[in-house]
Amino acid sequence: MRGDLEWGTIPNLARSAAERFGDHPALVDGETRLSYAELWVEARQAAKAYIAAGVVPGDRVALWAPNVWEWPVALLGLHAAGAIAVPLNTRCKGAEAAYVLSRSRARLLVTVDGFLGNDYVGMLAGQDLPHLERIVVLRPEGGDGDVPGVPPVSHWIDFLLAGGKVDDAAVDERLAGVGPDDVCDIMFTSGTTGAPKGVMAAHGAAVRASFDWADIVGLRQDDRYLVINPFFHSFGYRAGILSSLTVGATMYPQAVFDVPLAMRNIAEHRITTLPGAPAIYQTILNHPDRASFDLSSLRLAVTGAAPVPVSLVEQMWSELGFEVVVTAYGLTEATGFVSTCRAGDSAQTISETSGRAYPGVELRIVDDDNKEVPTGEPGEIVVRGYNVMLGYFEDPEQTAAAIDADGWLHTGDIGWVDDRGYVRITDRKKDMFIVGGFNAYPAEIENLLSRHPDIGQVAVVGVPDERLGEVGMAFVVPAAGRTPDPEAIIAWAREEMANYKVPRHVRVVDALPLNPSGKVLKYQLRASVEGERAAEGGAS
């Protein structure tokens, strides 16, 4: 059974899951338990509410909330109403969220009162939101209505009740109007230009990729899936929600990676599936209370987005009891999926490669002239297939720069392929680093930091970090007459940008190394850090 042929669209996948799995549990979140049949009932009620609110096919609806059971309901409901999802990172601050809301022209925002200490509605006060007409709060925590400076605010329950005037025929009509080639979501990802771009994915591609991921890694109906990977990210959205819908796995959303809570959930619910960045497994392995929890139910781990040492893979097998450990490679522009290791691969293969391409996906390595290089030689990784994005939202120039005339998506990642077809990623052509699984783009961070009055020039690079894989390091040239304080800059950055973007280190320098055309030589900055770390290691 092929997901792309059988179901075609995300709402059809959800409807089919209700028919195929019925009373089998779909979601467990605290006291809330929804079967697959009940999930579809909830999604249809949400679709009626969107229709009652005036949402029409093609409208953008933003989701800015952590992993809670209402998130998949809100998602599936908006898709059933023919709308396009715009997921927002829960770590975004007001200005960052406002940019996405404005750029996507989202008419409606579904959010929560607060998460990680952030008052989402309050953070939007005073922001320029010309297209946003309404905010719906999933879990009110004391807020009682409208907030000055933002569009009207209503509560999720009231929002659903208003949908009662919409009949089932209206939802069925919307469902029939959604096709596999239609845009299902716009995920904003930053880039070397510093301005986040909206990646458009099609329903058919998202469903097929999610099915293929579940099939390749071996996700099953009897799996109990602790979904820590964020729903706003393709990892939690497609490899979490959609992949579970394809096979009938039970999702256990967890809003944050709290180690004791994760271990309690694993023990209490007999969790079998735990995908995530390597830091998740390393943190569990290092936790002093690990032995007091029964983690023996763990079966399947899918990791990536940061180096995975051979020793970690072996410990995941021997100490955490995973039967299957695989690594994967993907990017938002490729629906989140490009390649994956397979069950039975060696620890060395899992550690050193990102597996081989998905069925229906071509992967090759090219030189600067876009010519394929021989096996084993490095070059840029390019991808072609059903998984490639439809393009960047209302940005044909950036789309043309990313996807060439022959349909190849230029990833900006450097790697090589061995004679088995397994890809090894060695570097990044694009100026990017990965913090705990989140892509951080120096150009965007530099643009934000440049607003600080003490900063005249700034360059950001990624440096190794034991827990998160990489973190940002900012090299700052003082503004005239100013004396930057590194700790104060870091504190300021925490108020102005998502936490993963915040540089963990700030170094004040007299000047940045430049080439003759004035471009910052970031490799020299990285080399200076590496040299210092090597010297410290040698001196210890």
Side-chain angles (χ1 to χ4, degrees), residues 103 193 197 200 389-404:
R103 182 71 183 82
T193 63
K197 301 185 293 293
M200 299 184 293
M389 66 175 177
L390 297 172
Y392 292 118
F393 179 65
E394 296 182 348
D395 198 339
E397 290 185 6
Q398 291 284 352
T399 300
I403 304 173
D404 66 28

Side-chain angles (χ1 to χ4, degrees), residues 349-397:
T349 293
I350 295 167
S351 171
E352 295 179 358
T353 82
S354 295
R356 62 180 190 269
Y358 279 63
V361 173
E362 298 176 83
L363 184 154
R364 69 178 189 178
I365 311 297
V366 300
D367 60 20
D368 289 340
D369 295 322
N370 205 24
K371 295 180 180 178
E372 189 168 8
V373 303
T375 298
E377 291 192 11
E380 183 182 9
I381 301 168
V382 296
V383 178
R384 184 169 67 180
Y386 75 86
N387 60 330
V388 172
M389 66 175 177
L390 297 172
Y392 292 118
F393 179 65
E394 296 182 348
D395 198 339
E397 290 185 6

Side-chain angles (χ1 to χ4, degrees), residues 256-306:
V256 294
F257 182 61
D258 173 85
V259 176
L261 175 60
M263 292 191 292
R264 283 198 301 273
N265 280 331
I266 293 167
E268 177 182 350
H269 301 294
R270 307 300 295 155
I271 296 297
T272 62
T273 303
L274 180 66
I280 286 180
Y281 311 108
Q282 192 65 66
T283 306
I284 292 176
L285 283 164
N286 294 342
H287 199 277
D289 298 331
R290 173 166 62 92
S292 63
F293 295 94
D294 180 4
L295 308 181
S296 61
S297 59
L298 290 173
R299 184 187 72 81
L300 170 63
V302 183
T303 189

Side-chain angles (χ1 to χ4, degrees), residues 459 461 512-516 518-527:
V461 299
L512 298 172
L514 306 175
N515 69 7
K519 183 178 179 180
V520 177
L521 299 173
K522 292 194 173 181
Y523 72 89
Q524 290 189 12
L525 298 177
R526 296 188 192 96

Side-chain angles (χ1 to χ4, degrees), residues 170-468:
V171 177
D172 292 337
E173 183 179 350
R174 292 290 183 93
L175 279 167
V178 180
D181 296 329
D182 291 338
V183 178
C184 62
D185 51 66
I186 303 173
M187 291 190 174
F188 276 78
T189 179
S190 302
T192 54
T193 63
K197 301 185 293 293
V199 177
M200 299 184 293
H203 277 271
V207 170
R208 178 175 174 180
S210 301
F211 174 88
D212 283 345
W213 183 89
D215 185 50
I216 291 170
V217 305
L219 189 67
R220 308 187 305 226
Q221 184 177 350
D222 61 353
D223 276 323
R224 294 173 295 280
Y225 187 162
L226 189 63
V227 190
I228 299 174
N229 26 318
F231 285 152
F232 64 76
H233 191 279
S234 58
F235 199 2
Y237 172 11
R238 306 201 210 287
I241 299 170
L242 301 189
S243 289
S244 295
L245 288 169
T246 67
V247 300
T250 303
M251 292 172 275
Y252 291 78
Q254 184 171 315
V256 294
F257 182 61
D258 173 85
V259 176
L261 175 60
M263 292 191 292
R264 283 198 301 273
N265 280 331
I266 293 167
E268 177 182 350
H269 301 294
R270 307 300 295 155
I271 296 297
T272 62
T273 303
L274 180 66
I280 286 180
Y281 311 108
Q282 192 65 66
T283 306
I284 292 176
L285 283 164
N286 294 342
H287 199 277
D289 298 331
R290 173 166 62 92
S292 63
F293 295 94
D294 180 4
L295 308 181
S296 61
S297 59
L298 290 173
R299 184 187 72 81
L300 170 63
V302 183
T303 189
V308 187
V310 171
S311 59
L312 176 58
V313 176
E314 292 174 340
Q315 284 181 296
M316 290 170 68
W317 283 332
S318 63
E319 296 186 38
L320 295 183
F322 284 105
E323 296 173 17
V324 177
V325 177
V326 296
T327 46
Y329 164 59
L331 62 161
T332 308
E333 286 87 343
T335 324
F337 306 96
V338 172
S339 64
T340 306
C341 286
R342 268 56 171 183
D345 283 339
S346 68
Q348 187 170 359
T349 293
I350 295 167
S351 171
E352 295 179 358
T353 82
S354 295
R356 62 180 190 269
Y358 279 63
V361 173
E362 298 176 83
L363 184 154
R364 69 178 189 178
I365 311 297
V366 300
D367 60 20
D368 289 340
D369 295 322
N370 205 24
K371 295 180 180 178
E372 189 168 8
V373 303
T375 298
E377 291 192 11
E380 183 182 9
I381 301 168
V382 296
V383 178
R384 184 169 67 180
Y386 75 86
N387 60 330
V388 172
M389 66 175 177
L390 297 172
Y392 292 118
F393 179 65
E394 296 182 348
D395 198 339
E397 290 185 6
Q398 291 284 352
T399 300
I403 304 173
D404 66 28
D406 294 320
W408 290 97
L409 170 67
H410 288 250
T411 69
D413 292 318
I414 303 298
W416 55 280
V417 174
D418 64 22
D419 53 12
R420 302 172 298 165
Y422 279 65
V423 62
R424 300 174 186 234
I425 300 168
T426 59
D427 203 350
R428 299 184 186 94
K429 188 174 182 179
K430 293 178 180 176
D431 195 11
M432 181 193 84
F433 55 95
I434 301 176
V435 182
F438 294 107
N439 291 353
Y441 293 87
E444 181 186 11
I445 300 170
E446 290 160 0
N447 285 348
L448 292 167
L449 287 174
S450 66
R451 297 177 358 214
H452 192 287
D454 291 345
I455 296 177
Q457 290 178 282
V458 60
V460 175
V461 299
V463 297
D465 181 82
E466 184 175 342
R467 187 174 71 88
L468 296 173

Side-chain angles (χ1 to χ4, degrees), residues 122-200:
M123 284 196 295
L124 292 177
Q127 299 292 338
D128 185 21
L129 301 168
H131 310 288
L132 190 66
E133 299 172 2
R134 187 173 183 183
I135 297 174
V136 180
V137 176
L138 290 175
R139 295 184 174 185
E141 296 179 3
D144 42 24
D146 296 348
V147 174
V150 301
V153 178
S154 58
H155 295 164
W156 181 246
I157 297 301
D158 296 330
F159 178 68
L160 292 177
L161 288 173
K165 61 186 178 184
V166 177
D167 60 23
D168 287 329
V171 177
D172 292 337
E173 183 179 350
R174 292 290 183 93
L175 279 167
V178 180
D181 296 329
D182 291 338
V183 178
C184 62
D185 51 66
I186 303 173
M187 291 190 174
F188 276 78
T189 179
S190 302
T192 54
T193 63
K197 301 185 293 293
V199 177
M200 299 184 293

